[in-house]
Amino acid sequence: MTTEVTTYRYVRFALCCLLAGLAISVAAETIASGRWQTSISSYYYTAAGPVFTAALCAMGVCLVVLRGYTDAEDTALNLAGLSAPMVGFVPTPEMGQEIDKAAIVNNAWSYLAVMAIGWVVVLIFGMRKRGVGGSWPSRWAVIGLVAIAGAWAVGVAWLLIDQDSFAAKAHGLAALFTFVPFALAVVLNTDWGVRMIAREADKARTRLDKTYWALVAAMAVLLVAGLVLGLSGWDYWLLATEVSLLGCFTIFWVVQSFDLMDPERDSLTTRPGDPVTGSR
């Protein structure tokens, strides 16, 4: 086993450990305080707050660093990973809780500055690869670069125009742009997703196709059920929805990890030069 493959598997395992750590911290706080919060994000204001922020930042790094099975999945993971830290930096507004606007603005500007540096570095390396005859950028790489630049521009403009509004509402937007791309990554692991969305005709995913579709269906049902509970007035609908979706994502991550580690599948579908994911 090469060093690259070992590192790849350790990073995938690390993300599972981070999710487990967040779950343990939230559970311990709930038991200690004797009460549930209305969402996972609400634990920011509790003793679990540091773990919440640290876990989101670390998970964001893992998602960006990991190479997706296809260019489309890689773009989806990058978008989810880049949005995740902002969820931790900007807390959800809670009744009776004061937010530290100065800390939020400082963290947001720092993160946006790092995003800009990273974007430029990726662009430079990509253009150098293209200059020596490489195929970069792919259609999905262009989509990712444009989407990230757009999100960065919105964040910068928002901070310059109305910091109060940013501190109050950026959390929800960042959470949306974390969950949606990651949900897309699940769809992109179905055989239909690989062939029709990612346009990778040489990468069949029939072995666990039904499993991936079952996870997609479960996520859709849980999301609808959560919205119905929310409309009915149940206070903990968002917490239940977040926990159930994260559970589906964790199952997906474990299933995909074993799927990608299958030697027989790799020998049939991966491209030369990348024994781990088959991506260009």
Side-chain angles (χ1 to χ4, degrees), residues 19 27 42 70-71 134 143 153 166 175 181 210 235 243 278:
L19 285 170
S42 298
T70 61
D71 287 336
I143 292 174
F166 182 92
K210 292 181 180 179
D235 292 337
V243 170

Side-chain angles (χ1 to χ4, degrees), residues 8-260:
Y8 174 82
R9 293 180 177 179
Y10 282 172
V11 175
R12 291 193 68 91
F13 179 64
L15 194 140
C16 291
C17 291
L18 290 167
L19 285 170
L22 177 60
I24 292 170
S25 181
V26 166
E29 165 57 25
T30 301
I31 294 171
S33 64
R35 62 185 296 267
W36 293 93
Q37 300 297 318
T38 55
S39 69
I40 294 177
S41 299
S42 298
Y43 282 89
Y44 175 94
Y45 300 100
T46 69
V51 172
F52 172 77
T53 302
L56 282 169
C57 291
M59 284 189 284
V61 172
C62 289
L63 291 173
V64 172
V65 168
L66 283 168
R67 187 69 170 86
Y69 179 69
T70 61
D71 287 336
E73 185 192 357
D74 191 55
T75 296
L77 293 179
N78 288 341
L79 293 175
L82 287 170
S83 301
M86 195 64 81
V87 177
F89 293 147
V90 185
T92 182
E94 285 289 321
M95 188 72 68
Q97 299 286 353
E98 293 187 8
I99 60 174
D100 189 344
K101 192 181 80 171
I104 292 172
V105 172
N106 175 281
N107 294 344
W109 275 124
S110 300
Y111 186 59
L112 289 170
V114 172
M115 278 184 63
I117 294 171
W119 191 91
V120 171
V121 169
V122 169
L123 185 64
I124 291 173
F125 276 94
M127 296 309 295
R128 287 186 61 186
K129 179 180 178 181
R130 185 180 181 85
V132 296
S135 59
W136 192 91
S138 68
R139 177 169 61 98
W140 283 99
V142 172
I143 292 174
L145 286 170
V146 172
I148 292 167
W152 181 87
V154 169
V156 169
W158 199 352
L159 279 171
L160 290 173
I161 295 171
D162 190 351
Q163 293 182 352
D164 290 329
S165 173
F166 182 92
K169 300 177 180 179
H171 176 90
L173 189 62
L176 180 66
F177 282 99
T178 300
F179 273 96
V180 171
F182 202 78
L184 175 61
V186 182
V187 176
L188 284 166
N189 274 269
T190 64
D191 192 62
W192 178 84
V194 170
R195 295 178 181 277
M196 302 304 295
I197 301 179
R199 301 291 182 181
E200 297 280 4
D202 60 336
K203 289 182 162 185
R205 295 307 296 268
T206 55
R207 189 170 73 98
L208 294 176
D209 185 57
K210 292 181 180 179
T211 303
Y212 291 126
W213 274 121
L215 286 169
V216 172
M219 288 163 51
V221 170
L222 290 168
L223 179 59
V224 172
L227 293 175
V228 170
L229 290 172
L231 292 174
S232 69
W234 189 43
D235 292 337
Y236 301 101
W237 72 273
L238 184 55
L239 176 65
T241 303
E242 289 175 338
V243 170
S244 59
L245 288 177
L246 283 174
C248 287
F249 292 154
T250 303
I251 294 172
F252 159 72
W253 201 252
V254 173
V255 169
Q256 190 198 37
S257 295
F258 283 102
D259 189 17
L260 293 173

